[in-house]
């Protein structure tokens, strides 16, 4: 053996393999037609209410946990982990349902709680403010980026997260 690694060989898939991978009978092709795009948009639109309800339940749970956590360090660790998970999930789906502002606030919250140690009342307040902002976005059905007020709120949240990390 010479110690040389063999070069990788790329084998192009056959037409039959491509058909199976894309699943022409049950799914969509790689390049969507306008009718397929309309179908996908309908699916997303019809799922928006479910998304809003699911996020609302998570926020309700986070609010309750924030009130109950108190000064118990073990409860705080669990609360922070749950907040990180929920905010990550919300930021990942907000844009899909035309809530990019929701995504931005959830991202701010996720960035803030990730790696947060020695949580104080100030940290808890900033987390609660994020959750409240997420609630307002859903309750007011603020799609898109919102307006000037929403931009100011997001800016204030970002400043608070930088100042009190």
């Amino acid at each position: 053996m010479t110690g040389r690694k063999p070069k990788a060989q790329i084998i192009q898939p056959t037409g039959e393999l491509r058909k199976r991978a894309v699943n022409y009978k049950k799914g969509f092709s790689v390049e969507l037609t306008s009718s397929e795009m309309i179908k996908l948009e309908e699916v997303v639109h019809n799922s928006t209410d479910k998304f809003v309800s699911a996020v609302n339940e998570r926020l309700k749970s986070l609010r309750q946990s924030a009130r109950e956590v108190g000064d118990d360090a073990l409860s705080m660790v669990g609360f922070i982990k749950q907040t990180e998970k929920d905010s990550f999930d919300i930021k990942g789906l907000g844009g899909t349902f035309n809530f990019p502002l929701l995504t931005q606030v959830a991202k701010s919250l996720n960035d803030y709680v990730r790696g947060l140690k020695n949580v104080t009342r100030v940290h808890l307040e900033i987390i609660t403010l994020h959750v409240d902002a997420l609630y307002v976005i859903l309750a007011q059905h603020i799609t898109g980026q919102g307006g000037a007020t929403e931009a100011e709120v997001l800016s204030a949240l970002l400043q608070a997260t930088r100042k009190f990390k």
Side-chain angles (χ1 to χ4, degrees):
M1 244 176 144
T2 62
R4 291 186 337 178
K5 292 183 180 180
K7 289 187 177 182
Q9 183 180 4
I10 299 174
I11 301 170
Q12 295 298 323
T14 65
E16 180 62 29
L17 184 58
R18 281 188 185 159
K19 281 184 182 180
R20 287 184 186 181
V22 175
N23 192 355
Y24 284 102
K25 292 182 181 176
K26 294 182 181 177
F28 296 106
S29 66
V30 175
E31 294 185 30
L32 298 175
T33 65
S34 60
S35 65
E36 290 172 330
M37 283 297 291
I38 290 170
K39 285 180 187 178
L40 285 174
E41 288 171 1
E42 284 176 16
V43 168
V44 170
H45 179 72
N46 292 337
S47 300
T48 300
D49 289 340
K50 290 178 187 175
F51 168 74
V52 170
S53 295
V55 171
N56 190 42
E57 286 303 312
R58 285 182 181 206
L59 295 175
K60 186 174 163 183
S61 176
L62 285 176
R63 253 187 182 168
Q64 183 68 28
S65 296
R67 281 194 296 268
E68 294 173 354
V69 74
D71 294 326
D72 179 26
L74 188 57
S75 295
M76 187 63 79
V77 169
F79 170 71
I80 294 299
K81 284 184 180 186
Q82 188 62 47
T83 303
E84 184 177 353
K85 180 191 177 309
D86 288 346
S87 61
F88 182 80
D89 291 346
I90 294 167
K91 85 172 182 166
L93 289 171
T96 302
F97 295 97
N98 197 26
F99 285 99
L101 184 60
L102 190 79
T103 293
Q104 290 175 316
V105 174
K107 180 184 181 327
S108 173
L109 177 57
N110 186 263
D111 290 348
Y112 186 63
V113 297
R114 195 176 334 109
L116 191 62
K117 300 200 184 331
N118 302 321
V119 181
T120 67
R121 283 279 152 207
V122 173
H123 294 119
L124 197 56
E125 243 343 275
I126 292 170
I127 292 168
T128 302
L129 289 171
H130 276 82
V131 171
D132 290 346
L134 292 167
Y135 254 124
V136 170
I137 293 166
L138 287 178
Q140 297 298 318
H141 234 282
I142 301 172
T143 56
Q145 294 297 329
T149 302
E150 290 81 3
E152 287 179 32
V153 169
L154 180 59
S155 176
L157 289 171
L158 292 170
Q159 287 177 23
T161 61
R162 283 190 297 269
K163 186 173 181 181
F164 296 103
K165 182 73 178 187

